[in-house]
Amino acid sequence: MRTYSLTVLLWSCMFHAIQMMAAQKRTNKHPHSEMITGLSDNGGKTLHRIKRGWMWNQFFLLEEYTGPDTQYVGKLHTDQDKGDGNLKYILTGDGAGSLFIIDENTGDIHAAKKLDREEKSLYVLRAKAIDRKTGRQVEPESEFIIKIHDINDNEPKFTKDTYTASIPEMSGVGTSVIQVTATDADDANYGNSAKVVYSILQGQPYFSVDPETGIIKTALPEMSRENREQYQVVIQAKDMGGQMGGLSGTTTVNITLTDVNDNPPRFPQSTYQFNSPESAPPGTPLGRIKANDPDVGENAEIEYSISNGDGSDMFDIITDKDTQEGIITVKKRLDFENKMLYTLKVEATNTHPDPRFLQLGPFKDTALVKISVEDIDEPPVFSRPWYLIEVDEDAKEGSIIGQVVARDPDTSKNAIKYSVDRHTDLDRIFNIYSGNGSLFISKPLDREETPWHNITVIATEINNPKQSSQIPVFIRILDINDHAPEFAKYYETFVCENAKAGQLIQTVSAVDKDEPPRGHRFFFELVPEFAVHPNFSIVDNKDNTAGIMTRRNGYSRTKMSTYLLPIIIFDNDYPIQSSTGTLTIRVCACDSRGNMQSCNAEALLLPAGLSTGALVAILLCIIILLVLVVLFMALKRQRKKEPLIISKDDVRDNIVTYNDEGGGEEDTQAFDIGTLRNPEAREESKMRRDVIPETIFQIRRTAPLWENIDIQDFIHRRLKENDLDPSAPPYDSLATYAYEGNDSIANSLSSLESLTTEGNQDYDYLSDWGPRFKKLADMYGGEDSDRD
């Protein structure tokens, strides 16, 4: 039986890999089977086996080959190759034709380029042999792998170029700070190319690094942040297990020591000196002190306090949170004359102590603060914050009512003068002796008018008028009984005609402007002349009121309509004051229940159902009618005696025209009644033309009248203005304010057109003009009209 095989020749150093049966891979998809006869364990049965196909191993090739020739991979060969060039070898797959080239005649395979394992670590290829003439495939296509063998061509690289870490100061030796990590791109499964070892190049002796893990640790005890805060450590990572010839990389680690409260505060000096004027108000800052603490943040926060000293109640200290300083302030008013020097013991304490470092000592410090009080010129000081003075309202002018006292608090003890602030005593009722501060009265007092007076007294140093102070003085005016009681109000008292004896008709009370300390007590009685009044009596109710009682049955308005009852009112203060008040009692008609109906005697004569107001209105109407009749008769007589004007040229007449003549009653278009209502429509006043005046008088323009004024009132006012016009000559003139019109069938009715100078005219023709002129016919028709 013939067998076909394909042999791949490799480097002599790689033969062991070809012989590894565990790496064989069957790739023939169409095996040829052949019958083989012979003995076997099955007792002579015929056995079948499958023809062995193309067998390929996993081959290795060095990366980064830099030799002068191409790197030889292997050779393809089949026993059917007679060397006559009839067979052709073909290679396909990853990199075939570019990275890997095969000699199609000999089957030799070479790597055409330098390979990089980190770029691609293995290549999968397929090989076959075909007959050049027939194109038949002599061997089935088979697949094999070329794996790139690693060399140490990559140095270790850290994950970061720079690391940042921190650790508390005073940490113990071996305290972990940070772990750094470096990676190597070489094959970790082949040799030591990727085996990294860490070492410290910079940062000793403060820190160390674990060679395998890359953990950085402290190497010195009690490293202090106050001595050094920042450290820079350089770490190296080297492959090949750190052996000679290995590649390496470095990184930088910046390590910061964080603060812990391991330092107590300390004052830079043991004693501080400050000055304060005695006039400094509470809360005034005097100065600052500060205890130094090398720590930072909350570890350096300090609280200041006054622990001892003779001025702990006069001064205070507060902490400035921004600067950690202690501010000395005034707590109470200072007095140079009382104490000139204070000594304080101030304590500074950490607010956040660390228990791990308490053994280092107390985390506080103390210092002495001395404060000197400076003397200043102070204003006078009164003996009291305010004064209250009481004085009787009958105190005489010039009498002393009280005294205010002030002193100079300075050691010089300057003299003081007193005065009253007149802005608080505008009426100048009070005055003061400038030398001793005694207040006295300048004007009479009246409690009922002003019960309290609030004035201000000023004390001023004589040698230094700028130094002054003032104090309020409250003056209370005490009451004396200087007013008599009187009725509380005006009483409208009446008694019914049908009243019975002993009936209460009025209750009276009294008021008094005085205010006795025990309250008011009034007494009521009749005047001695009327001690036994036949009609009325008074009963004191003992509660500052009194009742008026009737003493007989029945009263008559016709006999006596009004009674006057004088009553004396006493008070009970000293001296006793009294007054007499007269009570007016009217007699009125009442119904059966005592309700008043009428109190006037003349009402008995009037018809029932008419009130007093209605009667007064009727009387006024009658009087007005009588006055109108009298005036009308007087006007009629005056008109009868006046002569008619004969000629228009009579120089005695002065006709003033205020408007055009209308058209009469028939003309409803030409006459406008509104013209009489409009004062501005009249013509301008003109000078008289019938005489030549010696002096040109300025015609007085009248004031404009309101619109819609009554026509009669308008004419009366114009008449009054002409009568009172000072520019008119001293003789009669006729002022015409309107005309009848020219279109009336009666022609003109004006008496100015009459040719008769004396006597009466005949107006009988007015009765022929119809009902529209009936009023004129009644007034002028007949001889009796004027007499009427």
Side-chain angles (χ1 to χ4, degrees), residues 1-17:
M1 180 186 67
R2 293 191 306 171
T3 60
Y4 302 93
S5 63
L6 179 64
T7 303
V8 179
L9 302 178
L10 298 175
W11 255 354
S12 59
C13 64
M14 305 302 294
F15 283 163
H16 66 281

Side-chain angles (χ1 to χ4, degrees), residues 37-78:
T37 59
L39 297 176
S40 67
D41 293 339
N42 294 329
K45 293 184 179 179
T46 301
L47 299 179
H48 298 271
R49 72 176 179 86
I50 302 300
K51 179 183 177 182
R52 180 173 60 88
W54 290 55
M55 302 295 294
W56 302 97
N57 294 322
Q58 178 174 284
F59 303 114
F60 293 90
L61 186 65
L62 287 177
E63 69 168 335
E64 304 294 343
Y65 176 74
T66 57
D69 300 326
T70 58
Q71 191 174 183
Y72 182 71
V73 179
K75 184 181 180 60
L76 293 179
H77 186 72
T78 177

Side-chain angles (χ1 to χ4, degrees), residues 167 170-176 205-206 208 217-223:
I167 185 174
M170 308 300 290
S171 298
V173 177
T175 303
S176 297
Y206 307 104
S208 63
K217 301 179 181 180
T218 57
L220 286 181
E222 299 180 354
M223 287 190 295

Side-chain angles (χ1 to χ4, degrees), residues 547-567:
I548 309 301
M549 313 293 292
T550 58
R551 296 194 62 185
R552 62 186 179 86
N553 295 330
Y555 296 84
S556 175
R557 284 183 292 169
T558 58
K559 294 181 179 180
M560 180 69 69
S561 62
T562 303
Y563 295 91
L564 299 179
L565 186 65
I567 300 174

Side-chain angles (χ1 to χ4, degrees), residues 608-629:
L610 292 179
S611 62
T612 303
L615 294 176
V616 172
I618 293 174
L619 291 176
L620 289 176
C621 292
I622 294 174
I623 293 173
I624 291 172
L625 291 175
L626 292 175
V627 171
L628 292 176
V629 171

Side-chain angles (χ1 to χ4, degrees), residues 454-723:
N454 301 328
I455 65 174
T456 299
V457 175
I458 303 174
T460 307
E461 293 184 9
I462 296 178
N463 296 334
N464 187 6
K466 293 182 178 180
Q467 295 296 334
S468 65
S469 58
Q470 56 187 19
I471 198 74
V473 179
F474 307 104
I475 302 174
R476 180 183 180 185
I477 310 302
L478 300 179
D479 183 43
I480 63 171
N481 195 24
D482 58 344
H483 290 83
E486 56 187 12
F487 282 130
K489 64 178 182 179
Y490 174 76
Y491 294 98
E492 295 183 355
T493 307
F494 70 93
V495 60
C496 295
E497 289 182 310
N498 55 357
K500 304 297 181 182
Q503 182 176 343
L504 176 66
I505 61 174
Q506 183 67 60
T507 299
V508 296
S509 61
V511 293
D512 194 337
K513 295 181 180 180
D514 298 319
E515 291 185 1
R518 297 183 301 273
H520 290 291
R521 180 69 177 92
F522 302 123
F523 304 93
F524 302 87
E525 63 182 35
L526 298 178
V527 296
E529 292 80 1
F530 297 90
V532 181
H533 199 281
N535 298 305
F536 305 97
S537 63
I538 186 169
V539 177
D540 196 331
N541 296 327
K542 309 299 182 182
D543 59 354
N544 295 337
T545 63
I548 309 301
M549 313 293 292
T550 58
R551 296 194 62 185
R552 62 186 179 86
N553 295 330
Y555 296 84
S556 175
R557 284 183 292 169
T558 58
K559 294 181 179 180
M560 180 69 69
S561 62
T562 303
Y563 295 91
L564 299 179
L565 186 65
I567 300 174
I568 303 177
I569 309 173
F570 301 90
D571 59 19
N572 67 334
D573 206 356
Y574 181 82
I576 295 176
Q577 299 287 343
S578 64
S579 66
T580 300
T582 301
L583 192 67
T584 302
I585 305 174
R586 295 184 300 164
V587 181
C588 301
C590 304
D591 56 14
S592 59
R593 291 174 294 183
N595 298 323
M596 181 183 66
Q597 291 183 337
S598 176
C599 296
N600 296 328
E602 59 271 14
L604 297 174
L605 303 176
L606 297 176
L610 292 179
S611 62
T612 303
L615 294 176
V616 172
I618 293 174
L619 291 176
L620 289 176
C621 292
I622 294 174
I623 293 173
I624 291 172
L625 291 175
L626 292 175
V627 171
L628 292 176
V629 171
V630 172
L631 290 175
F632 181 76
M633 295 299 295
L635 291 174
K636 293 289 288 182
R637 292 192 183 94
Q638 183 178 4
R639 187 181 61 180
K640 182 176 180 181
K641 295 178 181 179
E642 290 177 352
L644 296 176
I645 298 176
I646 300 175
S647 173
K648 295 181 180 180
D649 298 330
D650 192 343
V651 295
R652 293 175 300 173
D653 295 335
N654 181 21
I655 300 175
V656 180
T657 303
Y658 292 92
N659 206 340
D660 295 333
E661 185 175 359
E665 293 180 355
E666 292 292 337
D667 186 2
T668 59
Q669 299 294 330
F671 185 74
D672 184 6
I673 194 66
T675 304
L676 293 178
R677 298 179 183 270
N678 185 6
E680 301 298 330
R682 62 185 178 85
E683 297 178 355
E684 295 294 333
S685 299
K686 299 180 180 179
M687 299 292 295
R688 296 177 62 99
R689 293 177 292 180
D690 55 342
V691 295
I692 300 177
E694 297 179 358
T695 304
I696 302 300
F697 292 97
Q698 180 67 30
I699 303 301
R700 179 176 55 86
R701 293 181 60 86
T702 59
L705 298 178
W706 296 96
E707 294 183 0
N708 296 329
I709 191 170
D710 185 75
I711 298 175
Q712 181 180 1
D713 182 67
F714 168 79
I715 296 174
H716 287 173
R717 291 188 62 174
R718 287 294 180 269
L719 178 62
K720 184 177 181 180
E721 289 172 2
N722 280 273
D723 291 339

Side-chain angles (χ1 to χ4, degrees), residues 195-235:
K195 185 178 182 180
V196 178
V197 175
Y198 300 95
S199 61
I200 185 168
L201 300 182
Q202 178 182 324
Q204 295 174 333
Y206 307 104
F207 300 94
S208 63
V209 64
D210 189 298
E212 295 183 358
T213 62
I215 297 176
I216 300 175
K217 301 179 181 180
T218 57
L220 286 181
E222 299 180 354
M223 287 190 295
S224 176
R225 184 199 64 83
E226 289 72 28
N227 295 332
R228 184 177 177 182
E229 183 177 5
Q230 298 288 339
Y231 294 87
Q232 189 176 73
V233 179
V234 178
I235 303 297

